Structure formats: structure tokens, C-alpha cells
């Protein structure tokens, strides 16, 4: 399968995220081509020095990996910048241009996040809104923003404060949040995953015909989460 789509950063990130979730192989040559494409999107349109959507992407909503839609322009640009950073890092290509691009992205995001903390309504460990915070955490989970585990732990504490006692979190996109938690090291995320466990099990047992690719992804994420909880 070709994971690179040079017309869309959205689709490229989505394709590679699917390959990584299901453990599909990506050939070394294609990894390099994907990295080159992501790095080429580090332009003046990018959010905080990260990686910008293509012209085609800019006309569309961002559909995140688990199917939720992000409509706001700022949210789309920020979230894809965070996710593209994480994907570029997880391609595991250690060359100068990749390292430089990731360093620039980290520096830009840290500057923006630190500036936001001047506003008392923001808390350390989160950024902007709840969906954007999830995107920040998945980047942190990949080792981004200088592998700041303190910020990631603070983010998970922020999430904990928004539990709705129904296995979800108030204001958070539930499927995307579960995806992000599944990508975080279990030793850090296990409290929230165990809290959500009964809800995840109910979702997993729910049968549905004509499943979309998002349904299949969600089912696989549910299965992984339940395996982690049951084996702990």
C-alpha cells in the first residue's frame, strides 16, 4: 500500500497512523518519502513552526483518526501539526533534516504553549481546547516537545478532573481520547484506561453491520485497551 498522499497531509498522517496501529510494514524508501513530504509542509502557513495542511486540506474539515470532525481552522492547523510531528518522529529516521525539523516544531509549540499559560483559564498540561490537548498528548507520547513526561502527566491529571463517571470525560471527543490514551505508555495512562474500561467493554461488545474504517479502528483500539487492563 502507498501511504503517502502528496495532495493531503491529512490523509498521509491518517494512512501512516493506521499502519502503525495495525502493525503494517512501511518500506524504508516510502518512510523517507513520507518524511520528506511532511518536512516540506514546514512553511509559513504552519501552526507554530510545525507542519501545514496542503491547499486541498485547507478547504476541508479535519477528520481525526477515530472519525470525529474538527471544523475550526485554528484547531485543524494545530492538531495536524501535532500529529504530523508525532508521525515524523515515529518513522524513526535519524537524519539531520528530520532532527532539525522536529526541533523547530518543538520550539515553536513550546513557545506557543508557554504563552498560553499567561492566561489563567489555561492549565499546564493542556492547550487551547480539549481536542487540541489530546493532539498535544499524542505528540508528547511520541517523545515530542523534548520528551516532557512532566507535561504529559499534568495533561492526564487535567483529563482525570473531567471524568463524567460514565467512562468518558466531559467535553472530550471520546473515541479520539481513547486512541490517544492507548498510544501513551500504559504505566502513565492506566488509571484513565481502567476508569474507562467498563465503557470500552460495552462499546467493544456492541455489534454493528457495515463497519466503516473508523469503526474497525475503534474496535482494534478497544481490544488493545482491554488486553492491557486485563493483563495488568
Amino acid at each position: 500500500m502507498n501511504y503517502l498522499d502528496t495532495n493531503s497531509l491529512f490523509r498521509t498522517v491518517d494512512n501512516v497512523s493506521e499502519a502503525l496501529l495495525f502493525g503494517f510494514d512501511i518500506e524504508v524508501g516510502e518512510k523517507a518519502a513520507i518524511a520528506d513530504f511532511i518536512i516540506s509542509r514546514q512553511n509559513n502557513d504552519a501552526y507554530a513552526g510545525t507542519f501545514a495542511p496542503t491547499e486541498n486540506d485547507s478547504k476541508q474539515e479535519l477528520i481525526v483518526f477515530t472519525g470525529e470532525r474538527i471544523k475550526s481552522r485554528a484547531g485543524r492547523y494545530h492538531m495536524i501539526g501535532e500529529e504530523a510531528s508525532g508521525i515524523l518522529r515515529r518513522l524513526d529516521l535519524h537524519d539531520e533534516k528530520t532532527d532539525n525539523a522536529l526541533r523547530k516544531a518543538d520550539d515553536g509549540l513550546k513557545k506557543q504553549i508557554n504563552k498560553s499559560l499567561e492566561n489563567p483559564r489555561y492549565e499546564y498540561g493542556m492547550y487551547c481546547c480539549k481536542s487540541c490537548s489530546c493532539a498535544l498528548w499524542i505528540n508528547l507520547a511520541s517523545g515530542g516537545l523534548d520528551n516532557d513526561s512532566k507535561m504529559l502527566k499534568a495533561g492526564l491529571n487535567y483529563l482525570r478532573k473531567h471524568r463524567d463517571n460514565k467512562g468518558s470525560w466531559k467535553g472530550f471527543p471520546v473515541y479520539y481520547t481513547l486512541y490517544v490514551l492507548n498510544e501513551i505508555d500504559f504505566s502513565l495512562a492506566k488509571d484513565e484506561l481502567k476508569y474507562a474500561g467498563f465503557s470500552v467493554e460495552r462499546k467493544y461488545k456492541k455489534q454493528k453491520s457495515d463497519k466503516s474504517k473508523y469503526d474497525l479502528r475503534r474496535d482494534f483500539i478497544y481490544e488493545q485497551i482491554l488486553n492491557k487492563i486485563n493483563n495488568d
Side-chain angles (χ1 to χ4, degrees), residues 3 15-16 19-20 24-31 34 91:
Y3 299 103
N15 291 342
V16 177
L20 293 171
F24 300 151
D25 288 332
I26 305 176
E27 294 182 357
V28 174
E30 185 164 17
K31 283 186 179 182
I34 291 166
L91 289 173

Side-chain angles (χ1 to χ4, degrees), residues 153-170:
K153 290 175 184 177
L156 293 173
N157 287 334
Y158 175 78
L159 179 64
R160 181 188 183 92
K161 290 190 289 186
H162 289 83
R163 289 180 179 181
D164 64 3
N165 297 318
K166 299 176 183 178
S168 299
W169 302 267
K170 295 176 183 177

Side-chain angles (χ1 to χ4, degrees), residues 124-161:
Y124 179 67
M126 59 86 65
Y127 178 68
C128 188
C129 67
K130 295 178 174 68
S131 296
C132 284
S133 294
C134 286
L136 167 64
W137 301 337
I138 203 168
N139 188 13
L140 286 166
S142 75
L145 278 66
D146 293 332
N147 200 24
D148 192 343
S149 60
K150 183 179 178 182
M151 183 182 288
L152 183 54
K153 290 175 184 177
L156 293 173
N157 287 334
Y158 175 78
L159 179 64
R160 181 188 183 92
K161 290 190 289 186

Side-chain angles (χ1 to χ4, degrees), residues 166-168 174-175 178 196-208 211 218-219 222 226:
K166 299 176 183 178
S168 299
V174 60
Y175 305 118
L178 290 171
F198 75 93
S199 176
V200 171
E201 187 169 11
R202 187 172 65 246
K203 288 180 175 69
Y204 184 59
K205 289 180 178 178
K206 203 171 189 179
Q207 295 300 314
K208 183 179 179 181
K211 292 186 177 183
R218 292 171 188 173
D219 285 349
Y222 301 153
L226 292 172

